[in-house]
Amino acid sequence: MRSSSDARPPRSGSFNRILVFDLDDTLYLERDYVLSGLNAVGQWAAGALGINGLGEVMRGRFDAGCRTRIFDHSLKDMGLEAHPETIGRMLAAYRQHRPTIRLAPDTEQFLASRDDATGFAVITDGFLDAQRRKIRALGLYGRGIHLGICTDKWGRECWKPNPRAFEHVEQWFGRSGRDLTYVADNPSKDFNAPRLLGWNTVQIARPERIHVSVTTHVPADRIIESLEEL
Ligand SMILES: [Mg+2]
């Protein structure tokens, strides 16, 4: 079934429980998306600006642990100026590239062995264009996800912890509270809304995740490292 947040809701009583997933570092490794994006920006810079080797320099910075201003610093590493306009075009190339990413093996296995009584949805923050391309690249609608919500389609103010997407999922499936579970990686924003609504919450802490939050604002009910434990 081809789905999106505009898809038709299921008949009431179709599902006993609803599993809702975050996307980045929950269903796949976000580092794969970053590496795919840096590679695309490197190719763009070679074609549009005649700069060769920028992709490798950016990747080197990322591998060394840099997480902010990789574009600026990598241009400077190469003795080039980081004009705001150049950075803007690099960002566009990054967000609009067609990502080479794949589901984590345990996600693949989990979705393949899903049961028909469970409804599946995704709630993800991030720039609309980029998140839609990720969902497409991962083929989520062909793997049993019934509903995908990119919160950015309602504007930045509706990103998590805003409850709008969670309330939408409840209405769409006709279920509430403990019938739903949210599985996500970031305790600084992911669990506020589902906990307020009385959902079950599970934090997935993949060892290879990009962001390791130092402060836990709203913890989940339980923590796992792989969907095999779900
Ligand atoms: Mg995430």
Side-chain angles (χ1 to χ4, degrees):
M1 179 174 63
R2 164 72 210 177
S3 312
S4 71
S5 56
D6 305 319
R8 191 188 294 229
R11 255 178 308 159
S12 72
S14 302
F15 302 112
N16 296 332
R17 61 169 192 159
I18 315 298
L19 270 181
V20 186
F21 297 98
D22 167 53
L23 185 62
D24 301 307
D25 271 343
T26 295
L27 294 183
Y28 82 101
L29 290 179
E30 189 171 5
R31 63 164 283 127
D32 292 347
Y33 177 79
V34 174
L35 294 176
S36 166
L38 295 181
N39 186 43
V41 173
Q43 285 175 3
W44 172 83
L49 308 176
I51 302 170
N52 289 308
L54 183 61
E56 289 73 26
V57 172
M58 292 189 294
R59 185 181 173 133
R61 276 200 160 265
F62 180 77
D63 286 340
C66 300
R67 295 294 179 264
T68 54
R69 304 190 63 194
I70 286 182
F71 296 165
D72 308 53
H73 291 143
S74 299
L75 284 168
K76 286 175 186 155
D77 285 348
M78 297 181 74
L80 300 163
E81 266 192 75
H83 288 293
E85 197 205 322
T86 309
I87 301 299
R89 292 173 73 193
M90 290 168 78
L91 262 177
Y94 182 86
R95 288 179 189 151
Q96 289 164 14
H97 90 285
R98 187 184 294 177
T100 308
I101 50 177
R102 47 178 314 160
L103 293 174
D106 54 293
T107 303
E108 191 105 42
Q109 208 161 21
F110 187 86
L111 291 177
S113 61
R114 68 188 182 277
D115 68 282
D116 293 341
T118 304
F120 292 95
V122 167
I123 293 177
T124 176
D125 285 345
F127 294 94
L128 186 57
D129 235 11
Q131 298 310 100
R132 282 187 172 154
R133 284 166 199 269
K134 290 175 190 174
I135 288 176
R136 210 174 302 141
L138 294 170
L140 286 178
Y141 295 127
R143 293 169 197 262
I145 299 288
H146 302 101
L147 175 69
I149 297 178
C150 300
T151 55
D152 198 40
K153 74 177 185 148
W154 292 315
R156 183 75 192 236
E157 67 278 9
C158 286
W159 289 24
K160 293 172 278 190
N162 188 301
R164 178 163 178 175
F166 296 87
E167 289 163 352
H168 184 87
V169 167
E170 286 195 338
Q171 284 157 16
W172 200 84
F173 284 101
R175 291 276 170 177
S176 61
R178 289 278 164 198
D179 291 346
L180 298 102
T181 300
Y182 191 50
V183 184
D185 68 292
N186 189 346
S188 74
K189 64 168 184 170
D190 284 337
F191 306 116
N192 308 53
R195 285 193 71 132
L196 269 177
L197 294 168
W199 295 21
N200 307 294
T201 50
V202 178
Q203 180 189 352
I204 181 159
R206 294 189 177 282
E208 312 94 327
R209 67 193 183 278
I210 289 187
H211 306 284
V212 178
S213 73
V214 277
T215 50
T216 294
H217 301 280
V218 177
D221 300 324
R222 60 184 275 232
I223 300 181
I224 59 175
E225 286 196 353
S226 143
L227 294 184
E228 284 169 31
E229 299 169 57
L230 198 62

